[in-house]
Amino acid sequence: MTSLSSPFELAQAQHYPAATLYVVATPIGNTADITLRALHVLGLADRIAAEDTRNTGQLLARYGISKPMIAVHEHNEREAAQRVIEHLCAGERVACVSDAGTPGISDPGAKLVDAVREAGFQVVPMPGASALATALSVAGDWVSTFTFLGFLPPKAKQRASALQPLAAHAHAMVFYEAPHRIVETVQALADAFGPARRILIARELTKLHEALWRGTLAEGPTWLAEDANRQRGEFVLVVEGAPAQTSGDENHDALLRVLLQEVPVKGAAKLAAALTGASRNTLYARALELKHEGGEEDEEGGEPD
Ligand code: SAM
C-alpha cells in the first residue's frame, strides 16, 4: 500500500536543478501567505537576489532562513545580473525575490530573467502572492478580461496623456498606486473615462486594515476624501472597460468626453469618427449632448463638414 505524502514532503521531493534561477513570490502583507515550495526553495538556495537585502533578510528571519544575498534593484539590475550569472556558472541555485509579491510585476526581476536565459541558464517560477491577482480575485464578474497597466506616470499631464488613449479600451484596467497619489489618480481616471464606470479600490490587501470598496468613478474621490485613513496604505485600482455596443451604435461617450476637453465639438466628432469608424453625424449629435450635459455653451454652429 502506498502512503500519501504530506504537502511539505511533496515540495521537498521535487527535483530542483542546480545552476538555476528560481523566481520566488513572497507575501504582499501577510507573512503566512508563502507557499511550501517557496519556503523549501529559499531554504535550498545558495544565494538570494533581493530587491532590498535588508527587507528580505527580515522576512527570511521570520521563516528561520538566512542566506548570502545580492542586491538586484531597479537601478543596478543589468550589472547585478552578471554577478548572478557568475554564481550560476559556479553551479549555484539562486532565488530571486522582490520586496513583496511576484518579482517582475512592477518590480525588478524581468531584466534578470532575460539576462540569465540569454546566458543559457534555466529559469523556474515559484508562484504565489501578487497584488494584481489578489485584487482581481475579488473584483467580480464585470472583470472578465483585463489589462494590467501598473503605475501611471506621477505627473498630471503625462498621466492624462497616458489615460487618453485608454478611454475606448474595452477591457477592465488594473493600476497600482501609492497612498500620496491615490486621490489625484482616481480623479484623473474619472476625468478620462467619465463618471459612470465601476471601480474597485482594493487597499492593504491581506493586511490588518484591508478594505475593498466598489462604486463608480464619480463616487471614488468622495469615498477617499470622507476618511483620511482610506488614503493610507497600498492600492490596486480595477476600472471597468469602455461600454460594449448598444443597439448597433457603439457608445463612444468616454472617448468623446476626453476629446471634448481638448477640441471643439466638430473636431471631437471628426477625430472620434476617424478613431472608431462610427458615423460622424451620430458622433457630432452625441458630442453636442455631452457638451450641454457639461453645462457649456456651443462654441460653434452648423453640422459637421
Ligand atoms: N510585485 C508586486 C506584486 O506582485 O503585486 C507589486 C510590487 S509594486 C512595487 C508595489 C505596488 O503593488 C503597491 O504600490 C500597490 O499598488 C501594490 N500592492 C502591493 N501590495 C499590496 C497590498 N497588500 N494591497 C494593495 N496593493 C498592494
Side-chain angles (χ1 to χ4, degrees):
M1 215 170 79
T2 54
S3 67
L4 285 175
S5 305
S6 73
F8 203 74
E9 283 167 341
L10 279 175
Q12 288 174 323
Q14 193 186 326
H15 174 57
Y16 298 94
T20 295
L21 177 73
Y22 293 87
V23 180
V24 183
T26 55
I28 57 167
N30 189 322
T31 311
D33 288 339
I34 186 138
T35 70
L36 296 177
R37 288 212 308 147
L39 281 180
H40 181 67
V41 162
L42 289 169
L44 191 67
D46 300 290
R47 202 166 300 273
I48 295 182
E51 181 183 8
D52 182 320
T53 53
R54 200 163 151 262
N55 280 352
T56 297
Q58 284 168 356
L59 178 73
L60 293 185
R62 309 247 354 230
Y63 305 127
I65 297 170
S66 168
K67 294 283 159 148
M69 287 201 247
I70 303 176
V72 181
H73 46 74
E74 200 189 338
H75 306 292
N76 79 344
E77 203 170 339
R78 282 182 204 283
E79 307 87 78
Q82 290 316 308
R83 288 186 58 205
V84 169
I85 289 166
E86 283 164 24
H87 290 287
L88 294 172
C89 284
E92 290 189 3
R93 292 180 184 88
V94 179
C96 161
V97 302
S98 63
D99 273 355
T102 302
I105 299 185
S106 290
D107 258 346
K111 292 190 183 82
L112 177 63
V113 163
D114 279 346
V116 163
R117 198 173 277 129
E118 249 166 57
F121 293 98
Q122 216 180 321
V123 179
V124 174
M126 293 282 140
S130 173
L132 165 68
T134 308
L136 285 170
S137 73
V138 288
D141 198 33
W142 53 285
V143 187
S144 52
T145 58
F146 68 91
T147 300
F148 176 61
L149 293 139
F151 290 97
L152 282 162
K155 295 210 173 105
K157 210 167 165 204
Q158 282 96 324
R159 188 169 46 220
S161 307
L163 287 173
Q164 194 166 316
L166 296 169
H169 190 70
H171 309 285
M173 287 158 276
V174 188
F175 302 93
Y176 282 170
E177 195 47 280
H180 55 286
R181 275 195 295 268
I182 187 65
V183 176
E184 53 183 287
T185 294
V186 173
Q187 186 58 57
L189 290 166
D191 294 343
F193 301 160
R197 291 208 210 164
R198 285 175 278 196
I199 178 170
L200 173 76
I201 301 182
R203 174 178 161 257
E204 293 288 85
L205 290 163
T206 77
K207 301 186 199 174
L208 186 62
H209 297 293
E210 178 177 274
L212 296 166
W213 177 84
R214 211 196 76 182
T216 63
L217 280 175
E219 296 160 345
T222 315
W223 181 79
L224 287 166
E226 272 167 9
D227 180 350
N229 285 322
R230 293 178 182 165
Q231 300 163 31
R232 299 211 169 101
E234 300 192 275
F235 294 87
V236 181
L237 304 172
V238 185
V239 185
E240 189 175 18
Q245 288 196 350
T246 50
S247 65
D249 273 338
E250 279 186 273
N251 183 341
H252 297 301
D253 286 5
L255 175 61
L256 285 171
R257 279 198 179 92
V258 173
L259 292 172
L260 284 169
Q261 286 173 16
E262 306 294 332
V263 292
V265 172
K266 205 184 284 180
K270 190 176 171 187
L271 286 170
L275 286 167
T276 64
S279 145
R280 199 197 296 187
N281 284 338
T282 310
L283 290 165
Y284 180 80
R286 184 60 188 146
L288 269 182
E289 285 173 20
L290 291 174
K291 195 93 184 168
H292 286 139
E293 276 173 23
E296 290 174 50
E297 294 298 316
D298 293 353
E299 74 285 75
E300 60 198 317
E303 291 291 301
D305 304 328

